Amino acid sequence: MSERFACRVLGQHRSTQRKCAVLAEDETALTTAIVALALQYGRYGYRRITALLRRDGWTVDVKRVERIWQREGLKVPARQPKRARLWLNDGSCLRLRPERPDHVWSYDFVEHRTHNGRKYRMLNVIDEFTRECLAIRVSRKLKALDVIDVLSDLFSLRGVPGHIRSDNGPEFIARSVRDWIAAVGSTTAYIEPGSPWENGYCESFNAKLRDELLNGEVFYTLKEAGVVIEQWRRHYNSIRPHSSLGYQPPAPEVVLWPTEPSGSVPSARPAIVSRPTMH
Protein backbone atom coordinates (compact mmCIF):
# COMPACT_ATOMS: atom_id res chain seq x y z
CA MET A 1 0.00 0.00 0.00
CA SER A 2 1.04 3.56 -0.47
CA GLU A 3 2.60 5.71 2.27
CA ARG A 4 -0.29 8.18 2.04
CA PHE A 5 -2.91 5.44 2.64
CA ALA A 6 -0.94 3.82 5.50
CA CYS A 7 -0.55 7.14 7.31
CA ARG A 8 -4.26 7.92 6.89
CA VAL A 9 -5.22 4.54 8.37
CA LEU A 10 -2.85 4.94 11.34
CA GLY A 11 -3.77 8.59 11.90
CA GLN A 12 -0.18 9.80 11.47
CA HIS A 13 1.09 12.75 9.50
CA ARG A 14 3.22 11.82 6.52
CA SER A 15 6.09 13.98 7.78
CA THR A 16 6.59 11.53 10.66
CA GLN A 17 7.67 8.90 8.15
CA ARG A 18 10.16 11.14 6.36
CA LYS A 19 11.81 13.26 9.08
CA CYS A 20 14.35 11.41 11.18
CA ALA A 21 14.88 12.53 14.75
CA VAL A 22 18.24 14.26 15.20
CA LEU A 23 19.84 14.17 18.64
CA ALA A 24 22.20 16.91 19.68
CA GLU A 25 25.86 15.96 19.80
CA ASP A 26 26.08 16.80 23.49
CA GLU A 27 22.94 14.86 24.46
CA THR A 28 24.88 12.02 26.08
CA ALA A 29 27.23 14.34 27.97
CA LEU A 30 24.34 16.52 29.15
CA THR A 31 22.38 13.48 30.32
CA THR A 32 25.40 12.26 32.25
CA ALA A 33 25.82 15.66 33.88
CA ILE A 34 22.14 15.84 34.86
CA VAL A 35 22.15 12.36 36.37
CA ALA A 36 25.38 13.11 38.26
CA LEU A 37 23.90 16.31 39.75
CA ALA A 38 20.67 14.51 40.60
CA LEU A 39 22.65 11.86 42.46
CA GLN A 40 24.71 14.48 44.29
CA TYR A 41 21.72 16.66 45.18
CA GLY A 42 18.94 14.15 45.57
CA ARG A 43 16.28 16.68 46.65
CA TYR A 44 16.83 19.22 43.85
CA GLY A 45 14.31 19.56 41.03
CA TYR A 46 15.12 20.10 37.38
CA ARG A 47 14.93 23.90 37.63
CA ARG A 48 17.62 24.04 40.31
CA ILE A 49 19.65 21.46 38.38
CA THR A 50 19.40 23.75 35.32
CA ALA A 51 20.86 26.60 37.35
CA LEU A 52 23.78 24.42 38.42
CA LEU A 53 24.38 23.32 34.82
CA ARG A 54 24.47 26.92 33.62
CA ARG A 55 26.92 27.77 36.38
CA ASP A 56 29.14 24.93 35.13
CA GLY A 57 29.16 26.41 31.61
CA TRP A 58 26.26 24.60 29.91
CA THR A 59 24.06 26.66 27.58
CA VAL A 60 20.86 24.74 28.11
CA ASP A 61 17.16 25.53 28.28
CA VAL A 62 15.07 24.46 31.24
CA LYS A 63 12.63 22.61 28.96
CA ARG A 64 15.42 20.47 27.57
CA VAL A 65 16.56 19.59 31.07
CA GLU A 66 12.96 18.75 32.01
CA ARG A 67 12.65 16.44 29.00
CA ILE A 68 15.84 14.56 29.90
CA TRP A 69 14.77 14.56 33.56
CA GLN A 70 11.50 12.80 32.71
CA ARG A 71 13.13 10.45 30.21
CA GLU A 72 15.63 9.26 32.82
CA GLY A 73 12.86 8.73 35.38
CA LEU A 74 14.27 11.18 37.90
CA LYS A 75 11.97 12.13 40.76
CA VAL A 76 11.05 15.72 41.52
CA PRO A 77 10.87 16.50 45.28
CA ALA A 78 7.36 16.69 46.69
CA ARG A 79 5.84 20.13 47.05
CA GLN A 80 5.09 21.61 50.46
CA PRO A 81 1.42 21.64 51.53
CA LYS A 82 -0.38 24.94 51.28
CA ARG A 83 -1.21 26.80 54.47
CA ALA A 84 -3.70 29.50 55.27
CA ARG A 85 -2.55 33.01 56.21
CA LEU A 86 -3.46 35.25 59.10
CA TRP A 87 -5.58 38.14 57.84
CA LEU A 88 -6.68 41.34 59.55
CA ASN A 89 -10.17 42.81 59.35
CA ASP A 90 -9.13 45.22 56.60
CA GLY A 91 -7.94 42.36 54.38
CA SER A 92 -4.22 42.99 54.83
CA CYS A 93 -1.83 40.27 55.88
CA LEU A 94 -0.22 40.72 59.26
CA ARG A 95 3.46 40.63 58.39
CA LEU A 96 6.66 42.61 58.84
CA ARG A 97 8.37 42.33 55.47
CA PRO A 98 12.15 42.78 55.09
CA GLU A 99 13.17 45.75 52.98
CA ARG A 100 16.99 45.56 53.01
CA PRO A 101 19.81 43.35 54.31
CA ASP A 102 19.99 43.18 58.11
CA HIS A 103 16.50 44.66 58.39
CA VAL A 104 14.73 41.55 59.71
CA TRP A 105 16.44 38.47 61.08
CA SER A 106 14.55 35.39 62.18
CA TYR A 107 15.58 32.41 64.26
CA ASP A 108 14.10 29.11 65.29
CA PHE A 109 15.00 25.74 66.78
CA VAL A 110 15.20 22.40 64.95
CA GLU A 111 15.49 19.12 66.81
CA HIS A 112 17.08 15.88 65.66
CA ARG A 113 18.71 12.77 67.14
CA THR A 114 22.09 11.13 66.85
CA HIS A 115 22.44 7.40 66.09
CA ASN A 116 22.22 6.45 69.78
CA GLY A 117 18.81 8.14 70.10
CA ARG A 118 19.99 11.17 72.07
CA LYS A 119 18.35 14.43 71.08
CA TYR A 120 20.23 17.54 70.01
CA ARG A 121 19.01 20.98 68.96
CA MET A 122 19.98 23.48 66.29
CA LEU A 123 19.46 27.24 66.55
CA ASN A 124 19.13 28.61 63.01
CA VAL A 125 19.49 32.34 62.34
CA ILE A 126 18.74 33.75 58.86
CA ASP A 127 18.53 37.14 57.17
CA GLU A 128 15.04 37.29 55.67
CA PHE A 129 16.00 39.73 52.89
CA THR A 130 19.08 37.95 51.53
CA ARG A 131 17.95 34.43 52.66
CA GLU A 132 21.46 33.90 54.01
CA CYS A 133 21.87 31.53 56.93
CA LEU A 134 23.92 33.53 59.42
CA ALA A 135 24.56 30.76 61.95
CA ILE A 136 23.56 27.27 63.06
CA ARG A 137 24.43 26.50 66.67
CA VAL A 138 24.39 22.76 67.44
CA SER A 139 24.21 21.52 71.04
CA ARG A 140 22.45 18.98 73.22
CA LYS A 141 20.70 21.78 75.08
CA LEU A 142 20.11 25.36 74.03
CA LYS A 143 18.71 27.86 76.49
CA ALA A 144 18.12 31.61 76.67
CA LEU A 145 21.78 32.31 77.49
CA ASP A 146 22.83 30.36 74.40
CA VAL A 147 20.49 32.49 72.29
CA ILE A 148 22.14 35.64 73.66
CA ASP A 149 25.60 34.16 73.01
CA VAL A 150 24.82 33.42 69.35
CA LEU A 151 23.23 36.83 68.77
CA SER A 152 26.09 38.68 70.45
CA ASP A 153 28.61 37.01 68.12
CA LEU A 154 26.51 37.89 65.07
CA PHE A 155 25.97 41.48 66.20
CA SER A 156 29.73 41.89 66.62
CA LEU A 157 30.38 40.61 63.09
CA ARG A 158 27.47 42.11 61.14
CA GLY A 159 25.93 44.86 63.22
CA VAL A 160 22.55 45.08 64.93
CA PRO A 161 19.46 44.28 62.79
CA GLY A 162 16.30 46.33 62.94
CA HIS A 163 14.02 43.47 64.01
CA ILE A 164 14.39 39.88 65.17
CA ARG A 165 11.45 37.59 64.41
CA SER A 166 10.72 34.39 66.34
CA ASP A 167 7.93 32.26 67.73
CA ASN A 168 6.86 32.31 71.35
CA GLY A 169 9.20 29.61 72.62
CA PRO A 170 10.40 29.97 76.20
CA GLU A 171 14.00 30.61 75.06
CA PHE A 172 12.87 33.55 72.91
CA ILE A 173 10.37 35.24 75.22
CA ALA A 174 12.62 35.00 78.28
CA ARG A 175 13.02 38.36 79.98
CA SER A 176 16.81 38.16 79.74
CA VAL A 177 16.63 37.78 75.94
CA ARG A 178 14.07 40.55 75.48
CA ASP A 179 15.94 42.98 77.73
CA TRP A 180 19.26 42.23 76.02
CA ILE A 181 17.84 42.72 72.50
CA ALA A 182 16.23 46.02 73.55
CA ALA A 183 19.48 47.16 75.19
CA VAL A 184 21.51 46.74 71.99
CA GLY A 185 18.96 48.70 69.95
CA SER A 186 16.98 46.01 68.13
CA THR A 187 13.29 45.11 68.32
CA THR A 188 11.63 41.74 68.87
CA ALA A 189 8.86 40.67 66.47
CA TYR A 190 6.96 37.70 67.86
CA ILE A 191 4.52 35.81 65.66
CA GLU A 192 1.00 34.97 66.75
CA PRO A 193 0.74 31.70 68.72
CA GLY A 194 -0.11 28.77 66.46
CA SER A 195 0.80 30.68 63.26
CA PRO A 196 4.16 29.29 62.06
CA TRP A 197 3.57 30.64 58.53
CA GLU A 198 4.20 34.15 59.89
CA ASN A 199 7.81 33.02 60.32
CA GLY A 200 7.79 31.58 56.83
CA TYR A 201 11.37 32.34 55.82
CA CYS A 202 12.84 30.48 58.76
CA GLU A 203 10.30 27.65 58.51
CA SER A 204 11.18 27.22 54.84
CA PHE A 205 14.88 27.09 55.68
CA ASN A 206 14.24 24.53 58.43
CA ALA A 207 12.37 22.35 55.94
CA LYS A 208 15.25 22.51 53.45
CA LEU A 209 17.76 21.65 56.18
CA ARG A 210 15.74 18.63 57.24
CA ASP A 211 14.87 17.49 53.73
CA GLU A 212 18.29 17.90 52.09
CA LEU A 213 20.54 16.96 55.01
CA LEU A 214 19.05 15.61 58.23
CA ASN A 215 16.75 13.05 56.62
CA GLY A 216 19.62 11.58 54.62
CA GLU A 217 22.45 11.51 57.18
CA VAL A 218 23.23 9.39 60.24
CA PHE A 219 25.28 11.23 62.86
CA TYR A 220 27.08 9.10 65.43
CA THR A 221 28.42 11.97 67.54
CA LEU A 222 27.47 15.55 68.24
CA LYS A 223 30.83 16.72 66.86
CA GLU A 224 30.17 14.97 63.57
CA ALA A 225 26.75 16.59 63.34
CA GLY A 226 28.21 20.04 63.99
CA VAL A 227 30.90 19.69 61.31
CA VAL A 228 28.58 18.32 58.61
CA ILE A 229 25.82 20.84 59.34
CA GLU A 230 28.31 23.72 59.16
CA GLN A 231 29.55 22.42 55.79
CA TRP A 232 25.97 22.31 54.54
CA ARG A 233 25.38 25.88 55.80
CA ARG A 234 28.36 27.12 53.80
CA HIS A 235 27.14 25.21 50.74
CA TYR A 236 23.64 26.70 51.19
CA ASN A 237 25.02 30.24 51.36
CA SER A 238 27.62 30.16 48.59
CA ILE A 239 26.67 27.42 46.09
CA ARG A 240 23.08 26.18 46.39
CA PRO A 241 20.76 27.96 43.88
CA HIS A 242 17.83 29.66 45.63
CA SER A 243 14.61 29.79 43.61
CA SER A 244 13.45 33.07 45.22
CA LEU A 245 16.72 34.77 44.21
CA GLY A 246 16.60 33.85 40.53
CA TYR A 247 18.48 30.60 41.24
CA GLN A 248 21.46 32.45 42.67
CA PRO A 249 23.00 31.56 46.07
CA PRO A 250 22.23 33.93 48.98
CA ALA A 251 25.87 34.86 49.68
CA PRO A 252 28.16 33.77 46.82
CA GLU A 253 31.89 34.05 47.26
CA VAL A 254 33.40 37.16 45.68
CA VAL A 255 36.59 37.21 43.62
CA LEU A 256 38.72 40.30 44.34
CA TRP A 257 41.63 40.98 41.99
CA PRO A 258 44.44 42.69 43.92
CA THR A 259 45.47 46.17 42.79
CA GLU A 260 48.98 46.26 41.33
CA PRO A 261 51.23 49.29 40.98
CA SER A 262 51.78 50.60 37.46
CA GLY A 263 54.33 48.67 35.44
CA SER A 264 54.14 45.52 37.55
CA VAL A 265 52.89 42.14 36.42
CA PRO A 266 49.34 41.34 37.66
CA SER A 267 49.00 38.52 40.14
CA ALA A 268 47.94 35.23 38.55
CA ARG A 269 45.76 34.14 41.44
CA PRO A 270 42.81 36.21 42.78
CA ALA A 271 41.83 36.38 46.39
CA ILE A 272 38.65 34.55 47.34
CA VAL A 273 36.69 36.15 50.15
CA SER A 274 33.26 35.60 51.58
CA ARG A 275 31.06 37.16 54.19
CA PRO A 276 31.85 36.42 57.85
CA THR A 277 30.83 32.97 59.00
CA MET A 278 30.18 31.52 62.44
CA HIS A 279 32.27 28.61 63.75
Side-chain angles (χ1 to χ4, degrees):
M1 62 183 69
S2 66
E3 177 186 285
R4 185 189 302 270
F5 179 76
C7 289
R8 183 167 64 250
V9 172
L10 297 176
Q12 293 183 350
H13 197 274
R14 281 186 295 162
S15 61
T16 60
Q17 306 301 317
R18 301 177 182 176
K19 184 177 180 181
C20 299
V22 178
L23 296 178
E25 296 180 356
D26 60 348
E27 185 80 5
T28 302
L30 178 60
T31 302
T32 303
I34 293 174
V35 173
L37 289 173
L39 291 175
Q40 183 178 0
Y41 307 107
R43 300 298 297 173
Y44 286 7
Y46 66 89
R47 292 184 179 88
R48 191 165 279 115
I49 294 296
T50 303
L52 292 175
L53 289 171
R54 291 172 178 172
R55 187 178 303 168
D56 292 340
W58 286 92
T59 303
V60 62
D61 184 72
V62 66
K63 292 184 178 180
R64 184 183 178 191
V65 177
E66 181 185 11
R67 173 177 57 81
I68 298 175
W69 185 275
Q70 294 178 350
R71 186 188 67 198
E72 296 298 320
L74 301 175
K75 184 179 179 181
V76 178
R79 298 178 61 183
Q80 295 293 327
K82 296 182 178 180
R83 296 181 180 272
R85 293 182 178 269
L86 180 64
W87 298 91
L88 297 179
N89 293 331
D90 59 356
S92 61
C93 184
L94 180 63
R95 187 169 183 83
L96 173 65
R97 297 190 179 274
E99 300 176 355
R100 59 186 181 278
D102 297 326
H103 179 211
V104 181
W105 291 2
S106 61
Y107 54 3
D108 196 9
F109 286 111
V110 174
E111 292 186 354
H112 201 59
R113 294 181 183 273
T114 51
H115 184 261
N116 58 7
R118 293 186 61 190
K119 183 177 68 175
Y120 65 91
R121 306 184 78 189
M122 291 157 279
L123 175 61
N124 303 333
V125 186
I126 66 168
D127 187 326
E128 292 192 356
F129 186 84
T130 63
R131 309 299 205 278
E132 180 183 1
C133 177
L134 307 179
I136 301 180
R137 173 69 65 88
V138 180
S139 181
R140 292 293 181 186
K141 295 182 180 179
L142 291 170
K143 299 182 180 180
L145 293 179
D146 298 300
V147 174
I148 295 176
D149 182 58
V150 172
L151 292 181
S152 62
D153 290 343
L154 288 175
F155 289 0
S156 300
L157 288 173
R158 307 177 62 97
V160 179
H163 305 273
I164 301 180
R165 194 196 312 271
S166 69
D167 57 23
N168 296 271
E171 300 86 359
F172 301 138
I173 64 175
R175 181 176 297 275
S176 59
V177 175
R178 291 183 295 170
D179 292 346
W180 185 85
I181 291 177
V184 298
S186 187
T187 305
T188 56
Y190 296 111
I191 66 175
E192 289 293 323
S195 303
W197 51 86
E198 289 187 42
N199 197 11
Y201 295 106
C202 203
E203 293 290 344
S204 176
F205 173 81
N206 295 344
K208 293 180 177 68
L209 172 62
R210 188 174 296 279
D211 183 51
E212 297 177 8
L213 178 66
L214 301 181
N215 289 347
E217 295 283 348
V218 176
F219 300 127
Y220 290 92
T221 63
L222 185 65
K223 181 65 176 179
E224 179 188 8
V227 171
V228 175
I229 291 172
E230 175 62 20
Q231 291 176 349
W232 184 88
R233 185 186 74 87
R234 293 170 180 265
H235 169 82
Y236 176 88
N237 286 337
S238 60
I239 298 177
R240 180 187 183 277
H242 201 294
S243 58
S244 298
L245 303 176
Y247 290 98
Q248 297 297 321
E253 292 184 339
V254 181
V255 179
L256 297 181
W257 289 94
T259 57
E260 300 288 344
S262 59
S264 62
V265 179
S267 174
R269 180 172 297 176
I272 306 296
V273 299
S274 60
R275 305 188 68 172
T277 56
M278 296 294 295
H279 298 281

